[in-house]
Amino acid sequence: MERSLALSALFAARIAALFLIPSFTLAFGVPVTAQTLGVMLCGTVLGAKRGTLAVLLFLVLVAIGLPFLAGGRGGLGVFAGPTVGFLVGWPVAAFVTGLIVERWRGANLAVVATVASIIGGIIVLYAFGIVGMSVILERTLLEAAGLVTAFIPGDIIKAVLAGLLTAALFKARPASVLSRASSDG
Amino acid sequence: MLCLTSPVETSAHRWRPGIKFALLCAATFVLLAIDSLVFQVAAFLGCLLLFALPGRTFFLAGMRALKPLWPFVVILIVWHGITQDMADGLAIVLRLMTAVGLATLVTMTTRLSDMMDFVRWALQPLARFGLQTRLVELGIALVIRFTPALAAQGRQLAQSWRARAHQKPRWQLILPLTVAAIDDAEQVAQALRARGGLMPHNSGVPTPARTD
Amino acid sequence: MLSVVSIVPPTFNPAPAPVSADAGTWFAFDKVSLSLDGKSVLHEVSVRSSARRIGMVGRNGSGKSTFARLFAGLIAPTTGSVEVRGVDVAKDRRAALSTVGILFQNPDHQIIFPTVEEELAFGLLQQGVSKADAAEQVAQLLAQFGKSHWAPEAAHSLSQGQKKLVCLMAVLAMKPKAIVLDEPLSGLDIPTQLQLSRYLDDADAMLVHIAHDPDHIRDYDEVLWLEEGRLVADGAPAKVLPAFTARMHELGGGDALSDLAG
């Protein structure tokens, strides 16, 4: 119980920390979607429940006014803007990603994590994001989809990275990849 | 703690966050309900006025928050220009900026500690569904406490990289940061258990430091 | 599962020990000052030395870690210059990478890669060594330390002392001419300290060893004493260390804990 809360909080802090470090770029840093990698990792490493909690905590902190989004953004303003769909979709994405990694055993972890990140972190997330954008900008879904397609190749690369990092973490600390723990802690 | 609350004091800083939030919801509702361009222009100008009242620093800070919207503004204007309904386009653009602006105003005029109180209050109804609000508070406190530490560790790892490599560090640093997060979490969990754990009867919940 | 192993191998063959120091290794801090956020961290530090084993002492916050980073060229001085073997380490990063190595205090903040062999190979690959050559050099280095079995192991699952050794090996892999060590022995139990010390002593490079415990550097050639960002002493350990220890005890008798930094 304490462990779940601590892990979720620390992973939320990790997402925040990644964007407070100025000298460190993700190399594909398209501002709006660069955080997706941190979100995908919450799902692939912590699993569905704790991963979602971590992302939710992160969002609450952004909402109450901490500048944890790329570019030092945060506060209620970001929830009124066109990217609100993506923000709302993040916890769902983490949940779906985590669920897939937890349930789909037997295959290579890097592959599983990558596929899970694509399904959760791209397909599900973009669904939410596109709907949100089309509502706020008052365009059709198709038009909103057109706006975001440019980011998809970058996010696919991030999904692959998420897979590689999850597998590397498993190499470094097998017991810590909770999505693959045999018992719930 | 780095925070988006404006250091420029306004009278709104003293209002209860619940009131500001309610006003924001009402205003957003009105904005969405009324399509007329004239109204949207007036609303936007009113919003700009609110930003300008506390002075130049406040105004500039507010404009910085609106800056990320410009690509969308451009896209919308171009689109509506092509379909030749500029009036509609402008109305949508203005509504967007006003909504974001008003929400930003709430953030800039509410101290973190007041926000925390509001979150605590707003979560109370959910307690009936079993959500332990203390856990949410504790979670928030932990994130605030550990973000700077993890960021410092990230900077240190970046130095460890630069001590051996010419290029800038990239995604590879996420791995040791994640391991660090996991290790810190383990320590935190033990510390929590040592203080009686998270069982309902325990009243020793640390609260986030007041930042005002 | 990695069993608990001590860091002293049963058969340790030290590299052929150099009889005298590499006379070409020297460093010079020329009136180096560093200010961060308006606060002066180092003030006009000037020192020049070609001793093989140099120690540094000073209280926490005296600027020792900053000195280490300046020495490695990771940060640039606000005024003045830092040269190691003629290389301006802050400006000429490429040359600096093969000249100076740095060992940080906390190995958890230093190890980047999941396995030991990846961590050791990283610097080599960055220097342009081919993957095959890097793998071979890493294998040789591990064998030299008797740790060949560590190659595929998860670096993050090792003990503190073992992690420090991994970090040391990662630095040695790049064959630097000088290594600056930021409190390398802190946090280790005494046997591990002694073992790691032996590895340090055998390193074929100029060492700048920052220590909070004077005992660690009693046998060194030269000791520098930093106090509040200034170099207050530079000389033989026999002269500097007693003065330092006396001063520390003097301060310990006061109530400095209540003073907040800055």
Side-chain angles (χ1 to χ4, degrees), chain B residues 152-153 156-157 159-167 172-173 175-176 179-180 183, chain C residues 69 74 93-94 97 102 104 108-112 114 119 122-123 126 156 170 174:
Chain B
Q153 197 160 339
Q156 182 72 298
L157 285 165
Q159 283 194 336
S160 167
W161 174 285
R162 277 172 38 225
R164 289 177 279 166
H166 194 69
Q167 349 158 302
Q172 291 91 337
L173 296 187
L175 177 67
V179 173
D183 283 344
Chain C
R69 282 160 181 71
L74 291 175
R93 287 302 299 152
R94 271 203 202 284
L97 289 181
I102 178 167
F104 294 104
D108 289 322
H109 297 185
Q110 185 158 5
I111 297 180
I112 295 176
E119 182 71 16
F122 172 56
Q126 289 294 323
H156 290 99
M174 297 174 70

Side-chain angles (χ1 to χ4, degrees), chain A residues 19 26 28-40 69-70 73 83 86 90 121-122 125-126 129 133 148 150-156 158-159:
Chain A
F19 300 98
L26 283 179
F28 314 105
V30 180
V32 171
T33 55
Q35 290 96 331
T36 329
L37 183 48
V39 171
M40 290 170 182
L69 289 181
R73 299 173 53 215
T83 51
F86 286 94
W90 270 353
I122 299 183
L125 181 64
Y126 274 68
M133 206 173 264
V148 298
F151 298 105
I152 293 185
D155 276 352
I156 293 185
K158 277 176 216 131

Side-chain angles (χ1 to χ4, degrees), chain C residues 205-221:
Chain C
M206 164 198 256
L207 291 189
V208 177
H209 180 152
I210 299 175
H212 67 273
D213 183 348
D215 282 336
H216 297 161
I217 49 176
R218 220 163 272 288
D219 302 329
Y220 276 35
D221 302 319

Side-chain angles (χ1 to χ4, degrees), chain A residues 42-107:
Chain A
C42 284
T44 62
V45 177
L46 294 182
K49 195 180 82 173
R50 297 187 190 94
T52 312
L53 185 57
V55 176
L56 280 173
L57 270 177
F58 178 73
L59 284 180
V60 168
L61 271 106
V62 168
I64 66 177
L66 289 164
F68 288 161
L69 289 181
R73 299 173 53 215
L76 291 173
V78 297
F79 288 89
T83 51
V84 62
F86 286 94
L87 292 177
V88 167
W90 270 353
V92 184
F95 183 79
V96 171
T97 307
L99 205 59
I100 295 177
V101 176
E102 279 173 354
R103 296 291 160 87
W104 182 13
R105 313 256 174 153

